[in-house]
Amino acid sequence: MSRILIVGAGLTGSLCAYLLRKELPGKLQLVIWDKAKGAGGRMSTSRCPSDPNCTVDLGAQYITVTPDYARKHKTFHDDLLAHGICKPLSAVVEGMVMKDGSRNLVTPQGISSIVKHYLKQSGADVFYEHHVTQINLQGGKWQVCRRSGSPENFDAVVLTMPVPQILQLQGDIAKLIKESQRQQLETVSYSSRYALGLFYEAGTQIDVPWAAKYITDNPCIRFICIDNKKRNVESSGIGPSIVVHTSVPFGIKHLEEEKEVVQPLILKELSTILSHLPQPIDIKCQKWRYSQVTEAFPGCPGQIPLHTEPLLLCGGDGFTHSNFDGCTESALRIVEMLASRL
Ligand code: FAD
């Protein structure tokens, strides 16, 4: 049985594992390593430290289904709707620009529930706080090293993290990437922004006429969302939560600063937009150094092989585009390649 390592428990990694299980049942031992403490990657749902029932989506907010992808990925969307993981967005989002025929889906349990749904069905052994640092060739297998703990060997490896993080990996992988491939990988770029999650006590009223709003006239803040209102889950025992996304220029300007320095700047701007906000019980500040893809890998191939014998692939939104369907497309291309080689 081939032992496959998927690096990254985000949407691409979890979908790869789910699809591989469906495509090659009983043929593979699937292992997923992620450096984070939990599943989701940029589809992360964060818990309030003092009330774990109160959550906020710090990265992706909704799944926007275009007419093309509604046809192409219908089985994926239908499956998420049938399992109650997604439902149509019904709340008011001010300033949202929708292309003709597109629709939005929200996740009542938070956006990371999509990733958890796929992980659960994949049967993969998932390990968190496993930060991959080096990949070496050893006796026809990949020896994968992590920041702490022993290295392990795999027959094939799939990398799904943002491209700059792939290029940071040490060991043989650094020498195996062909110069022409490296140059193309270096063209992949991402926007940067901060996200602030504000958690409130149960019973707190956030008095605004929308669930989310795009802000166009503020240098710092681009998007504000009353998260539970967006997801259409207002439970009396659970406090509301708000997520604030900064603009990309603000994110880039403050990229190398500490979160402790940036958080008060965002809060100050927020108070100029919403002057009567109550006091939160907790705040989380997230720096998205690699937020959304601004320039994808040339030709958007979904995946590229860095090595064929043994197989080492990389994929993720850097090889398509930054949304649910971009990651799905990448996962499908990765699985196609693996299935043809294993
Ligand atoms: P990731 O989610 O980045 O997953 C990669 C994983 O690899 C991470 O979990 C990371 O911890 C792990 N990793 C990295 N390096 C290592 C290492 N060395 N060792 C081990 N693990 C490692 N998309 C939408 O569809 N709708 C939206 O509304 C939307 N809004 C967004 C808003 C923001 C602020 C952001 C940041 C993103 C948004 N996106 C949205 C984009 C969407 O979140 C991404 O396209 C998608 O989550 C990418 O998934 P992925 O699995 O390819 O990568």
Side-chain angles (χ1 to χ4, degrees):
M1 199 187 257
S2 300
R3 193 163 186 248
I4 314 287
L5 176 68
I6 297 171
V7 184
L11 181 60
T12 306
S14 64
L15 257 168
C16 277
Y18 163 78
L19 291 168
L20 280 169
R21 170 106 189 261
K22 274 178 66 170
E23 189 81 12
L24 303 165
K27 275 193 157 180
L28 307 172
Q29 189 201 349
L30 294 172
V31 180
I32 301 182
W33 286 3
D34 198 297
K35 66 178 182 174
K37 287 192 177 136
R42 280 171 281 157
M43 293 210 159
S44 95
T45 303
S46 190
R47 293 181 186 283
C48 169
S50 53
D51 178 4
N53 291 319
C54 181
T55 60
V56 74
D57 292 334
L58 288 176
Q61 298 296 305
Y62 6 69
I63 296 185
T64 303
V65 183
T66 61
D68 272 359
Y69 277 127
R71 280 187 293 276
K72 203 171 173 192
H73 294 162
K74 185 175 186 313
T75 50
F76 293 92
H77 306 140
D78 285 353
D79 169 68
L80 293 174
L81 288 162
H83 283 88
I85 307 291
C86 287
K87 63 180 184 182
L89 168 74
S90 55
V92 176
V93 179
E94 264 190 39
M96 177 186 263
V97 181
M98 291 294 286
K99 286 194 188 134
D100 273 356
S102 296
R103 63 181 184 139
N104 284 309
L105 304 177
V106 287
T107 46
Q109 302 305 313
I111 200 82
S112 70
S113 60
I114 297 179
V115 174
K116 289 175 185 161
H117 171 69
Y118 293 129
L119 289 178
K120 196 171 157 196
Q121 292 182 69
S122 73
D125 297 319
V126 188
F127 299 91
Y128 298 108
E129 299 184 89
H130 276 46
H131 189 145
V132 174
T133 51
Q134 270 197 41
I135 302 185
N136 296 307
L137 257 181
Q138 205 180 58
K141 290 186 187 281
W142 293 112
Q143 182 206 53
V144 184
C145 308
R146 52 197 169 98
R147 207 167 256 179
S148 57
S150 321
E152 289 187 32
N153 288 347
F154 297 91
D155 298 296
V157 175
V158 178
L159 305 171
T160 68
M161 61 274 237
V163 173
Q165 293 177 327
I166 294 174
L167 291 171
Q168 282 161 21
L169 293 172
Q170 304 290 309
D172 292 341
I173 183 176
K175 290 174 261 161
L176 290 171
I177 300 177
K178 289 188 222 86
E179 192 44 40
S180 58
Q181 236 176 9
R182 178 178 294 280
Q183 281 173 12
Q184 288 184 308
L185 288 166
E186 282 169 351
T187 63
V188 182
S189 58
Y190 299 75
S191 57
S192 303
R193 62 175 92 233
Y194 283 84
L196 216 57
L198 309 173
F199 304 96
Y200 294 88
E201 240 170 18
T204 308
Q205 294 300 319
I206 311 288
D207 206 10
V208 289
W210 35 261
K213 183 175 175 152
Y214 288 87
I215 313 286
T216 50
D217 56 356
N218 188 283
C220 167
I221 294 176
R222 174 71 184 115
F223 177 75
I224 305 174
C225 176
I226 320 301
D227 202 67
N228 49 304
K229 213 166 160 182
K230 169 197 77 186
R231 294 192 247 142
N232 207 1
V233 280
E234 284 178 78
S235 163
S236 56
I238 303 171
S241 58
I242 296 182
V243 62
V244 178
H245 285 168
T246 72
S247 66
V248 172
F250 178 92
I252 292 170
K253 184 174 171 198
H254 298 279
L255 194 57
E256 303 310 333
E257 289 171 28
E258 297 297 324
K259 285 192 276 188
E260 293 69 23
V261 175
V262 179
Q263 179 174 313
L265 303 177
I266 306 171
L267 284 172
K268 192 163 172 246
E269 283 299 332
L270 183 62
S271 71
T272 67
I273 300 170
L274 297 177
S275 54
H276 300 297
L277 269 186
Q279 197 60 28
I281 47 172
D282 269 304
I283 302 178
K284 269 198 185 172
C285 184
Q286 168 78 41
K287 184 190 289 192
W288 293 118
R289 182 177 290 276
Y290 306 112
S291 180
Q292 284 123 308
V293 173
T294 47
E295 175 96 38
F297 189 92
C300 296
Q303 62 79 31
I304 61 158
L306 296 177
H307 197 266
T308 42
E309 290 278 329
L311 200 53
L312 175 61
L313 301 179
C314 52
D317 61 355
F319 298 85
T320 52
H321 45 261
S322 275
N323 60 23
F324 176 86
D325 290 293
C327 294
T328 305
E329 208 46 38
S330 172
L332 286 165
R333 297 290 81 79
I334 291 168
V335 170
E336 201 173 76
M337 180 58 135
L338 275 166
S340 71
R341 299 280 172 153
L342 293 171

